Amino acid sequence: MHYHPPLKDISFVLFELFNAAQTLNRYPEFEEIDQDLMSQVIEEAGRFASEILLPTNAVGDREGCQFENGHVKTPSGFKQAYRQFQEAGWPALACDPAYGGQGLPHTLNTVLYEMLTGTNHAWSMFPGLLHGAYSSLYHYANDELKDIYLPKIVSGEWLATMCLTEPQAGSDLGLIRTKATPADNGHYILEGNKIFISGGEHDLTENIVHLVLARLPDAPPGSKGISLFLVPKFLPENGVPKVRNAVHCTGIEHKMGIHGSATCSIQFEQATGWLVGEPNKGLAAMFKMMNAARLLVGINGVGVSETVYQNALAYAKERIQMRAATRPENRHSEPADPIVMHPAIQRMLMSQKAYAEGGRMLAYYSALLLDGAEHHPDEQIKAHFESELALLTPIIKAMLTDQGFEAAGQAIQIFGGHGYIQETGIEQYLRDIKIAQIYEGTNEIQAIDLIMRKILADNGQRLFNLLDRIQETINTTTQPAFVNSVAALTQVCQHLRALIPAISDASRQSPDLPYQIAPEMLRLVGHAAMGWLWLKAATIADEQKEKDPAFYGSKIDTAQYYFDFILPETRQLIQVIDQYLIHSQQGHSTNYLDSLM
Amino acid sequence: MHYHPPLKDISFVLFELFNAAQTLNRYPEFEEIDQDLMSQVIEEAGRFASEILLPTNAVGDREGCQFENGHVKTPSGFKQAYRQFQEAGWPALACDPAYGGQGLPHTLNTVLYEMLTGTNHAWSMFPGLLHGAYSSLYHYANDELKDIYLPKIVSGEWLATMCLTEPQAGSDLGLIRTKATPADNGHYILEGNKIFISGGEHDLTENIVHLVLARLPDAPPGSKGISLFLVPKFLPENGVPKVRNAVHCTGIEHKMGIHGSATCSIQFEQATGWLVGEPNKGLAAMFKMMNAARLLVGINGVGVSETVYQNALAYAKERIQMRAATRPENRHSEPADPIVMHPAIQRMLMSQKAYAEGGRMLAYYSALLLDGAEHHPDEQIKAHFESELALLTPIIKAMLTDQGFEAAGQAIQIFGGHGYIQETGIEQYLRDIKIAQIYEGTNEIQAIDLIMRKILADNGQRLFNLLDRIQETINTTTQPAFVNSVAALTQVCQHLRALIPAISDASRQSPDLPYQIAPEMLRLVGHAAMGWLWLKAATIADEQKEKDPAFYGSKIDTAQYYFDFILPETRQLIQVIDQYLIHSQQGHSTNYLDSLM
């Protein structure tokens, strides 16, 4: 397995498509940002990912984390890679300089995580969780906690976890039972059991900072009675971990993939903790950092799509099997051709390419929104960015991880029988990426989040705003070559506009309806957004194509492939949604409880 | 993990939908067949699968096969299970009584393999390959070879392999290099290396019969120069394995799944073998048995869909998370509901159910064609059955394994984080079924087989015959409740009729075109066939529904679900095919070699 950091396409997306340097540079915090600086960071990240991290990926899968007597040993090379990562200052990349951070944009962190997850998904989860913890503490903890913990987290000296799941409470955090009882000195005593805690125990850092959802004694039931606590593995004194806290790892899971990531059961036995934010407002604090976390999960799908595409393409150029229907002159006497010449293989490769490049556009666009939502000086624009980001977040999380899963499956097909062999290295990507469809809210829950909280909750206003912007791009696209693509995208957008009031009306009689069509709506809005960015990308590529015909020509072809052969999925999506609406209008039940009993 | 043999649905499909007992009973060889006998065999098969085989599935995955000094040790319990399987006479089920077989229909063997693959895919490959070898020898070997080997294979005393793949020759068997040199006494000396040989070495039987593709010294190049040889592990004397032959296992693969199946590298070092059939006609002999083999791979998809559906459903009834939009009265005071009440979960379960039941109909229908093609007394009808089977075989192989893969992925989603944990047992199904999309001809190659050899080769005549039969069913479906389903199916069939001449014309200018649209055509024809059977099933269920409202009601709902929410995929398929046709008409290239370089 190899990985060439896709620097050219990253630059295209950031600097040609989104004008990222100038955009970010306008925010006071980023006044030192320019394209050179960004490119330098990205090149360094690419070097770390391809040279340091990739070599640890297969060994991490083979060895996995080992659990013994409450301790977790990470696979060979993980510690060394982490030390280099930390020494290079990568944990601090997007953190506040007040706590030792580099104060760089989330956009750069997103690029970094595309590369980390594309080269070692399991390893990337150790530092990946750091950002969620940082963000929760940064926004909600009091100054005392911040002063003690943030510098350590920002420097990467201490890693962090998010302790949410319990055996009976997965998607439904309202069912959490872990208890927190107030003690003297303003701290709390935590008791309970958490499961599926990524990085809950390991040997990478001297201390681990757990952020824990738990209930206060007088908490109301359900999700309104959950508070957030900080529980360190070692209680620090003057920045040095001292007394071992009563929080212990009782075991790690054997999983389908991400074997190098320690998925721990964590027991809190009268552990000492501190409240973060207000009592009973823990879920809100958690959801505040969800945008960033889900964006990072989504970028994982892009990272995987890119890596499996690169490797499948390289294999397809080498592997010679069967004569192609169309074969170059110089191969006429050969008994068989490289499989890249076979249309079946080309179609899978083009899909993977479209997933990687399309996902990248959508993810970076959202990362820029996140930076804008935090740093734009104008409160109104800030709010607009936040609103658009909220709309796109579930799409990025679900659609891009689904695409990563599909791309990995296609890569195995391209490798054929060899793809099914562990030593080849490609099947690991399918096993690893599967978890991204589940964690940080399953992709089914993302779809519900989109339709209920992001679309119907404001009568589609957020979505209509996005559709307006798409329409602006459509209106200014005049190249004759893109007429059909423009028509296809226009149709999707028009359908969406018409669907929202119809769904809204129908859901009054049929409360199940929006939940039923949620998966289709997510992909439909996703294609509108992705089609929009492909149209912009194709336009730019068309303008620039003489400068670099190979790169821009391939970009235009990939856009064309997307519009002609991927976007047609929307026909199916619209038809399914229409069917549900018809059933609802006719008063037919589409609740299948009886059929399933 | 549990498995309840789906006896009720199997009976429905065989006896109510296809009238299998009477159909088979009409063939002279099956005059003793009746519904009771068939049901008895099926019940026994279900007991073996659920009680003996299922308990070996997870342990087989965990332990895998072990290789040491040329020997392969199968996982704990595999040997005992195989002994019971053999003693019960299962290997002989569909074999000729002349060689000790039970002379029962392929249809029953198909039901058996649905259950075996649904409970232990890896184990099922050991006896599964026996049928291919039996069939090749039965049809092509001389009487001497048949008399020596067939009784041993039929009794299951000796297992068999199919040695096709070599490092440089996977999908393209024309590239095979293994050599066979004539020796004295009419035998041959084989030299070469094969890879990916399932069951190439193991400890289940005292002897192993390898069927090997190799080249004679004077063989023409490519696929027309390949012959088939029988190479036993031990050369038998009077039915007793004696001299060790020079065929050795040099290693086994570590794979994504089917760990319990030994995937061997096999070295032939001047091994003794015998020619099976005519020189240079080896591939034809191989393809003769491909229909049966690919049917068994397809049924694997059904077996997996059924098992993962059953387990996901059971979990969904138990697992309580979040309130459902529509909740029964008696749950109004509960904080959360079983996830089976959530539409997102219902949709995945209904898809899995539709895949399992729809796949079952299509596979059993084809198994009956296979029996008819072998046993119908009228040569013309026989040829018609064979022709229809040839059309459906690539669809069954590809579509049903794709559905099995999708169903397994959905099951993991339903289990959520727990689905990703090995101990839960569900993720093994995804890893195992992935190989079924690759072996016996990748699903991409199935699609090419369908469009090139089964559709365009006879100008669509086979397909039009099938469409005529679908039209007959449509014409006789009068229930008002099925009007929309009938309309949807009619539209798919009309599109197909119009597409064939258009594709045929276009492929003259654009030789790549049929290859490009092959995947869409496979699913489109597949949906026509599956929709046809769903329409028949719904009609019967509608007539019978008062006898068993729960079963038949659920059958009608599942049919409805298929037509409303799965069949709409055809909108996408047709749109993609249309796009390719338009590009072809306009003379635009859709060969992406340049974009991928």
Side-chain angles (χ1 to χ4, degrees):
Chain A
M1 300 290 295
H2 67 265
Y3 178 73
H4 299 299
L7 300 179
K8 206 163 180 176
D9 197 57
I10 291 171
S11 290
F12 170 78
V13 175
L14 285 180
F15 305 125
E16 294 188 70
L17 184 61
F18 297 137
N19 212 358
Q22 281 93 322
T23 303
L24 292 165
N25 183 263
R26 272 183 227 123
Y27 309 149
E29 289 88 347
F30 296 145
E31 58 187 13
E32 283 164 30
I33 293 276
D34 60 20
Q35 185 169 332
D36 279 354
L37 173 66
M38 290 181 77
S39 299
Q40 210 179 317
V41 171
I42 291 166
E43 276 169 45
E44 278 304 319
R47 248 192 297 275
F48 177 80
S50 58
E51 292 171 17
I52 309 296
L53 207 49
L54 183 68
T56 65
N57 191 41
V59 70
D61 184 56
R62 227 165 28 238
E63 291 183 10
C65 283
Q66 304 296 328
F67 176 76
E68 217 181 287
N69 294 328
H71 297 284
V72 169
K73 192 173 167 294
T74 54
S76 308
F78 272 40
K79 226 164 158 169
Q80 291 83 331
Y82 184 72
R83 197 165 313 128
Q84 292 189 52
F85 184 78
Q86 194 204 328
E87 280 167 9
W90 291 116
L93 193 68
C95 298
D96 188 340
Y99 296 101
Q102 297 196 37
L104 289 168
H106 289 292
T107 302
L108 280 176
N109 201 51
T110 303
V111 178
L112 170 66
Y113 272 84
E114 178 193 323
M115 292 172 169
L116 300 181
T117 56
T119 46
N120 192 334
H121 176 168
W123 182 93
S124 77
M125 292 179 66
F126 289 107
L129 283 156
L130 178 156
H131 294 280
Y134 167 83
S135 163
S136 299
L137 291 176
Y138 186 77
H139 290 104
Y140 294 97
N142 60 36
D143 286 341
E144 203 188 328
L145 284 179
K146 279 166 136 174
D147 289 342
I148 297 171
Y149 290 96
L150 282 184
K152 295 292 185 181
I153 289 174
V154 168
S155 70
E157 279 172 272
W158 299 353
L159 280 169
T161 75
M162 306 297 288
C163 296
L164 284 66
T165 306
E166 298 179 10
Q168 78 295 344
S171 299
D172 190 350
L173 294 172
L175 301 176
I176 275 175
R177 290 188 198 138
T178 295
K179 276 181 199 159
T181 317
D184 306 337
N185 321 344
H187 70 254
Y188 291 80
I189 302 300
L190 279 94
E191 277 184 289
N193 290 292
K194 296 283 178 179
I195 59 168
F196 300 165
I197 307 309
S198 299
E201 180 58 47
H202 56 75
D203 55 9
L204 300 183
T205 52
E206 55 173 14
N207 203 4
I208 299 173
V209 183
H210 301 286
L211 285 179
V212 187
L213 291 183
R215 286 187 182 284
L216 291 166
D218 55 353
S223 57
K224 284 171 185 157
I226 291 172
S227 308
L228 182 64
F229 298 88
L230 181 158
V231 181
K233 178 177 168 187
F234 287 95
L235 305 172
E237 280 175 32
N238 301 322
V240 181
K242 285 277 173 183
V243 182
R244 183 70 168 87
N245 201 356
V247 44
H248 291 283
C249 174
T250 57
I252 61 172
E253 306 289 349
H254 301 101
K255 307 182 299 293
M256 181 181 195
I258 53 164
H259 295 163
S261 170
T263 307
C264 303
S265 302
I266 299 285
Q267 193 173 17
F268 298 89
E269 280 185 297
Q270 308 228 314
T272 303
W274 286 267
L275 183 67
V276 175
E278 288 179 47
N280 302 327
K281 296 278 172 67
L283 272 195
M286 217 63 171
F287 274 99
K288 179 76 187 174
M289 66 93 206
M290 275 289 176
N291 277 344
R294 289 180 172 168
L295 189 55
L296 286 187
V297 177
I299 199 72
N300 199 337
V302 178
V304 166
S305 298
E306 174 69 38
T307 306
V308 299
Y309 165 65
Q310 286 188 17
N311 285 275
L313 176 59
Y315 183 77
K317 288 182 189 175
E318 267 172 30
R319 176 74 171 168
I320 290 172
Q321 294 284 286
M322 300 204 284
R323 288 169 202 252
T326 309
R327 20 187 12 222
E329 289 265 344
N330 65 355
R331 297 201 60 83
H332 278 187
S333 60
E334 301 291 332
D337 297 309
I339 60 172
V340 71
M341 293 183 182
H342 294 295
I345 303 292
Q346 287 186 3
R347 289 207 52 193
M348 290 191 282
L349 289 168
M350 287 302 289
S351 295
Q352 293 176 317
K353 188 171 190 284
Y355 293 160
E357 296 178 7
R360 182 172 295 127
M361 291 192 287
L362 200 54
Y364 292 5
Y365 177 75
S366 304
L368 284 164
L369 287 177
L370 181 61
D371 282 317
E374 283 189 9
H375 298 292
H376 200 287
D378 182 326
E379 286 301 321
Q380 217 177 330
I381 297 178
K382 219 166 164 161
H384 164 77
F385 284 162
E386 197 156 328
S387 162
E388 191 173 348
L389 180 61
L391 179 74
L392 292 177
T393 297
I395 294 168
I396 284 167
K397 196 289 183 178
M399 194 162 176
L400 304 194
T401 58
D402 284 350
Q403 289 186 349
F405 182 76
E406 203 183 326
Q410 289 171 330
I412 295 176
Q413 291 302 118
I414 293 169
F415 276 86
H418 298 276
Y420 198 66
I421 306 300
Q422 287 180 350
E423 279 78 2
T424 308
I426 199 83
E427 58 87 40
Q428 182 189 345
Y429 282 84
L430 186 79
R431 288 186 289 105
D432 285 355
I433 192 64
K434 181 69 199 163
I435 192 58
Q437 296 180 308
I438 299 169
Y439 63 20
E440 296 283 355
T442 67
N443 286 2
E444 291 72 30
I445 286 179
Q446 302 303 319
I448 294 170
D449 176 52
L450 178 71
I451 185 79
M452 301 307 290
R453 295 204 201 104
K454 309 294 171 62
I455 295 180
L456 294 184
D458 72 352
N459 288 312
Q461 204 45 60
R462 266 185 244 251
L463 174 61
F464 295 144
N465 290 343
L466 177 66
L467 294 175
D468 289 344
R469 306 199 41 214
I470 297 174
Q471 192 59 49
E472 284 167 29
T473 301
I474 287 173
N475 295 344
T476 55
T477 305
T478 52
Q479 286 92 331
F482 303 154
V483 167
N484 291 332
S485 304
V486 163
L489 183 61
T490 305
Q491 219 184 353
V492 171
C493 293
Q494 282 170 349
H495 268 290
L496 266 174
R497 274 188 204 277
L499 278 174
I500 304 309
I503 292 167
S504 184
D505 285 352
S507 65
R508 267 170 232 124
Q509 281 98 45
S510 318
D512 275 353
L513 183 124
Y515 295 91
Q516 287 164 332
I517 59 162
E520 278 76 16
M521 282 300 289
L522 186 135
R523 292 194 70 85
L524 198 54
V525 181
H527 278 302
M530 214 171 262
W532 175 43
L533 299 180
W534 271 118
L535 196 58
K536 281 173 174 278
T539 305
I540 292 170
D542 190 58
E543 289 159 6
Q544 304 290 323
K545 70 181 167 217
E546 272 156 39
K547 284 192 202 152
D548 183 348
F551 177 80
Y552 293 110
S554 172
K555 183 63 78 183
I556 293 170
D557 287 349
T558 310
Q560 195 72 51
Y561 188 88
Y562 171 82
F563 283 109
D564 288 345
F565 308 121
I566 297 180
L567 192 70
E569 185 195 345
T570 54
R571 302 279 177 127
Q572 171 183 8
L573 303 171
I574 289 165
Q575 173 72 4
V576 168
I577 296 169
D578 281 348
Q579 294 282 353
Y580 271 109
L581 288 169
I582 291 168
H583 281 293
S584 167
Q585 278 157 13
Q586 298 178 342
H588 293 159
S589 167
T590 42
N591 187 307
Y592 291 99
L593 200 55
D594 291 340
S595 319
L596 290 165
M597 282 297 142
Chain B
M1 298 293 294
H2 68 265
Y3 177 72
H4 299 299
L7 301 179
K8 208 165 179 172
D9 197 57
I10 290 172
S11 291
F12 170 78
V13 174
L14 285 181
F15 306 122
E16 294 187 71
L17 184 60
F18 297 136
N19 213 359
Q22 280 95 320
T23 302
L24 292 165
N25 184 261
R26 270 182 228 126
Y27 309 149
E29 289 86 347
F30 296 145
E31 59 186 13
E32 282 164 32
I33 293 277
D34 62 18
Q35 184 168 334
D36 278 357
L37 173 67
M38 290 181 76
S39 300
Q40 211 179 314
V41 172
I42 293 165
E43 275 170 45
E44 278 305 318
R47 249 192 297 277
F48 176 80
S50 58
E51 292 171 17
I52 309 296
L53 206 50
L54 183 67
T56 66
N57 192 42
V59 71
D61 184 57
R62 226 164 29 239
E63 291 183 10
C65 283
Q66 303 297 328
F67 176 76
E68 216 180 287
N69 293 329
H71 297 283
V72 170
K73 191 173 169 292
T74 55
S76 306
F78 271 40
K79 225 165 160 169
Q80 292 85 331
Y82 184 72
R83 198 166 310 130
Q84 292 188 54
F85 183 78
Q86 194 205 329
E87 281 166 8
W90 291 115
L93 194 68
C95 297
D96 188 340
Y99 296 101
Q102 296 196 38
L104 289 168
H106 288 295
T107 303
L108 280 176
N109 202 51
T110 303
V111 177
L112 171 66
Y113 273 84
E114 177 193 325
M115 292 172 169
L116 299 182
T117 54
T119 48
N120 191 335
H121 176 169
W123 181 94
S124 76
M125 292 178 65
F126 288 106
L129 284 158
L130 178 156
H131 293 281
Y134 167 83
S135 164
S136 298
L137 291 177
Y138 187 78
H139 290 104
Y140 294 96
N142 61 34
D143 285 342
E144 202 188 330
L145 283 179
K146 277 166 136 177
D147 289 343
I148 297 172
Y149 290 95
L150 282 184
K152 295 292 186 182
I153 288 175
V154 167
S155 69
E157 278 171 272
W158 299 351
L159 281 168
T161 73
M162 307 297 288
C163 296
L164 285 66
T165 306
E166 298 179 10
Q168 79 294 346
S171 300
D172 191 350
L173 294 172
L175 300 177
I176 275 176
R177 291 188 199 140
T178 295
K179 278 182 198 157
T181 317
D184 307 336
N185 320 344
H187 70 255
Y188 292 79
I189 301 300
L190 279 94
E191 279 185 287
N193 290 292
K194 297 282 179 179
I195 58 167
F196 299 167
I197 307 308
S198 300
E201 180 57 49
H202 56 73
D203 54 8
L204 300 183
T205 52
E206 55 173 15
N207 203 2
I208 299 172
V209 183
H210 301 286
L211 286 178
V212 187
L213 291 183
R215 287 186 181 285
L216 289 167
D218 55 352
S223 57
K224 284 171 186 159
I226 291 173
S227 308
L228 183 64
F229 297 88
L230 181 157
V231 182
K233 178 177 168 186
F234 287 95
L235 304 173
E237 282 175 30
N238 301 321
V240 180
K242 285 275 172 181
V243 182
R244 184 71 168 87
N245 200 356
V247 43
H248 291 282
C249 174
T250 55
I252 61 173
E253 305 289 349
H254 300 101
K255 308 182 299 295
M256 183 183 194
I258 54 163
H259 295 164
S261 171
T263 307
C264 303
S265 302
I266 299 285
Q267 194 174 16
F268 298 89
E269 280 187 296
Q270 308 227 314
T272 302
W274 286 266
L275 182 68
V276 176
E278 289 178 46
N280 302 329
K281 297 280 172 67
L283 270 194
M286 217 62 173
F287 273 100
K288 178 78 186 170
M289 67 93 206
M290 274 289 177
N291 276 345
R294 289 181 173 167
L295 190 56
L296 288 187
V297 177
I299 199 71
N300 199 338
V302 178
V304 166
S305 298
E306 175 68 38
T307 305
V308 300
Y309 166 65
Q310 287 188 17
N311 285 276
L313 176 60
Y315 184 77
K317 288 180 184 175
E318 267 172 28
R319 175 72 171 172
I320 290 172
Q321 294 285 285
M322 299 203 283
R323 290 170 201 251
T326 309
R327 5 177 36 212
E329 288 264 344
N330 65 356
R331 296 201 60 84
H332 279 187
S333 61
E334 301 291 333
D337 296 309
I339 59 172
V340 71
M341 293 184 182
H342 294 295
I345 303 293
Q346 288 185 3
R347 290 207 51 194
M348 290 191 281
L349 289 168
M350 287 303 289
S351 294
Q352 293 177 315
K353 188 171 189 286
Y355 292 159
E357 296 178 7
R360 182 173 293 128
M361 292 192 287
L362 200 54
Y364 292 5
Y365 177 76
S366 304
L368 284 163
L369 288 178
L370 182 61
D371 282 316
E374 284 190 6
H375 298 292
H376 200 288
D378 182 324
E379 286 301 322
Q380 215 177 335
I381 298 178
K382 221 165 161 162
H384 163 77
F385 285 161
E386 200 157 323
S387 162
E388 192 173 349
L389 180 61
L391 180 74
L392 292 176
T393 297
I395 294 167
I396 284 168
K397 196 287 183 178
M399 194 165 177
L400 305 195
T401 58
D402 283 349
Q403 288 186 349
F405 181 76
E406 201 183 327
Q410 289 172 329
I412 295 175
Q413 291 301 119
I414 293 170
F415 276 87
H418 298 274
Y420 198 66
I421 306 299
Q422 287 180 349
E423 280 78 2
T424 306
I426 199 82
E427 59 86 40
Q428 184 191 342
Y429 283 84
L430 186 79
R431 287 186 289 106
D432 285 355
I433 192 66
K434 181 69 200 163
I435 191 60
Q437 297 180 308
I438 300 170
Y439 63 20
E440 296 284 355
T442 67
N443 287 0
E444 290 71 30
I445 285 179
Q446 301 303 318
I448 293 169
D449 177 52
L450 178 72
I451 186 78
M452 301 307 291
R453 295 204 201 105
K454 309 297 170 62
I455 295 180
L456 294 184
D458 72 352
N459 289 312
Q461 204 44 61
R462 267 183 243 252
L463 174 61
F464 294 144
N465 290 345
L466 177 68
L467 293 175
D468 289 344
R469 309 199 39 215
I470 298 174
Q471 192 59 47
E472 285 167 28
T473 301
I474 286 172
N475 294 344
T476 56
T477 305
T478 52
Q479 285 93 330
F482 303 152
V483 167
N484 292 331
S485 304
V486 164
L489 183 60
T490 305
Q491 217 184 355
V492 171
C493 294
Q494 283 171 349
H495 269 289
L496 266 173
R497 274 188 205 277
L499 277 175
I500 303 307
I503 292 168
S504 186
D505 285 352
S507 64
R508 266 169 235 126
Q509 280 96 46
S510 318
D512 275 353
L513 183 124
Y515 295 90
Q516 286 164 333
I517 59 160
E520 278 76 16
M521 281 301 289
L522 186 136
R523 293 194 69 86
L524 198 53
V525 181
H527 277 302
M530 214 172 260
W532 175 41
L533 299 179
W534 270 117
L535 196 58
K536 282 173 174 278
T539 304
I540 293 170
D542 189 58
E543 288 158 9
Q544 304 291 323
K545 69 179 170 221
E546 272 157 40
K547 284 193 199 150
D548 184 347
F551 177 80
Y552 293 110
S554 172
K555 183 62 76 183
I556 294 169
D557 287 349
T558 311
Q560 195 73 54
Y561 187 87
Y562 171 81
F563 283 109
D564 289 345
F565 308 121
I566 297 180
L567 192 69
E569 186 196 343
T570 54
R571 303 276 177 130
Q572 172 183 4
L573 303 171
I574 289 165
Q575 173 72 6
V576 169
I577 296 168
D578 283 348
Q579 295 281 354
Y580 272 108
L581 289 170
I582 291 169
H583 280 293
S584 168
Q585 280 157 13
Q586 298 180 342
H588 293 159
S589 166
T590 42
N591 187 306
Y592 291 100
L593 200 55
D594 291 339
S595 319
L596 290 165
M597 281 297 142

